[in-house]
Amino acid sequence: MNSRITNLFNFCIIGSVLLVACLLFSSQQLEAKKIKHSFTIAKEKKGVTKKNVEMTGCPISMADSLAANNESVHNTSTQIHPDIFQCGFAGYDKEPNSNIESFILINKSGNTITGYEVRIDYLDMQGRMLHSRVVKEPCEVPPHETRRLDIKSWDTQRTYYYYLGNAPRKVATPYQVNFTPLTFWVI
């Protein structure tokens, strides 16, 4: 009889320890559910080719900004002023259920920007990288003007939202973006 009580007591203690461990683990899982997503890989359709983006004008790499040092960069067809290196991006936005991202290209130069190449890093709120991509698109931004540009969203499953935008009704993960200009095409 004594051994049965001892076994029952040991069973209750082990059960209590397991219950406490499960409760602790489940509270950690609730936090993780906010960033846990299932991803699918999009398959390319047969017979579909990706469009090649043709840029017009003179490509100016932002790496050249170190070499420019307030001198004009010369090309056979166009004189590029060093203020091209002050051009940049601002005003990012993406609605939670949208498949379009919008941002503003600011042209502070005396040249017309006919295309751009930019690296966009998508980060969670702790600064960890979620995704990174390089976008290369044609555009037309006259000297000393700005233009809103739209690109296809990286978030094809619509499980993320921009932290400064409208919060969605469904559960989604907030993110931030960093833009790194790589090249501007100018005329």
Side-chain angles (χ1 to χ4, degrees), residues 17-86:
V17 169
L18 288 175
L19 179 63
V20 169
C22 288
L23 289 174
L24 288 174
F25 180 71
S26 67
S27 67
Q28 291 173 351
Q29 277 298 93
L30 289 176
E31 292 297 317
K33 283 184 182 178
K34 291 181 182 175
I35 60 171
K36 183 178 177 183
H37 300 286
S38 60
F39 295 98
T40 59
I41 298 172
K43 296 179 181 175
E44 285 193 28
K45 296 178 183 175
K46 291 182 180 178
V48 176
T49 58
K50 291 187 178 182
K51 115 181 148 173
N52 288 332
V53 178
E54 294 251 350
M55 301 294 184
T56 59
C58 174
I60 304 298
S61 168
M62 292 299 101
D64 293 339
S65 65
L66 298 174
N69 260 355
N70 294 329
E71 296 176 15
S72 293
V73 178
H74 292 283
N75 183 296
T76 56
S77 61
T78 308
Q79 182 177 3
I80 310 303
H81 298 284
D83 55 358
I84 189 69
F85 303 112
Q86 296 176 8

Side-chain angles (χ1 to χ4, degrees), residues 71-174:
E71 296 176 15
S72 293
V73 178
H74 292 283
N75 183 296
T76 56
S77 61
T78 308
Q79 182 177 3
I80 310 303
H81 298 284
D83 55 358
I84 189 69
F85 303 112
Q86 296 176 8
C87 297
F89 299 91
Y92 177 86
D93 186 41
K94 179 195 171 289
E95 290 298 319
N97 291 323
S98 176
N99 61 353
I100 301 290
E101 297 175 37
S102 300
F103 51 87
I104 295 172
L105 175 54
I106 303 167
N107 184 358
K108 294 183 179 180
S109 75
N111 300 94
T112 298
I113 296 177
T114 59
Y116 65 93
E117 184 176 27
V118 62
R119 177 181 169 179
I120 306 174
D121 294 324
Y122 302 89
L123 311 167
D124 69 6
M125 299 313 290
Q126 286 75 39
R128 296 177 297 216
M129 185 177 291
L130 297 169
H131 183 70
S132 180
R133 67 178 175 157
V134 174
V135 176
K136 180 180 175 184
E137 293 285 331
C139 65
E140 187 166 334
V141 184
H144 307 290
E145 293 189 20
T146 63
R147 292 288 185 269
R148 189 189 85 181
L149 305 172
D150 296 326
I151 58 173
K152 187 173 165 65
S153 178
W154 69 283
D155 181 22
T156 56
Q157 296 181 336
R158 298 182 180 143
T159 54
Y160 296 92
Y161 72 97
Y162 182 55
Y163 80 108
L164 292 177
N166 298 328
R169 292 180 186 166
K170 62 180 186 172
V171 175
T173 304

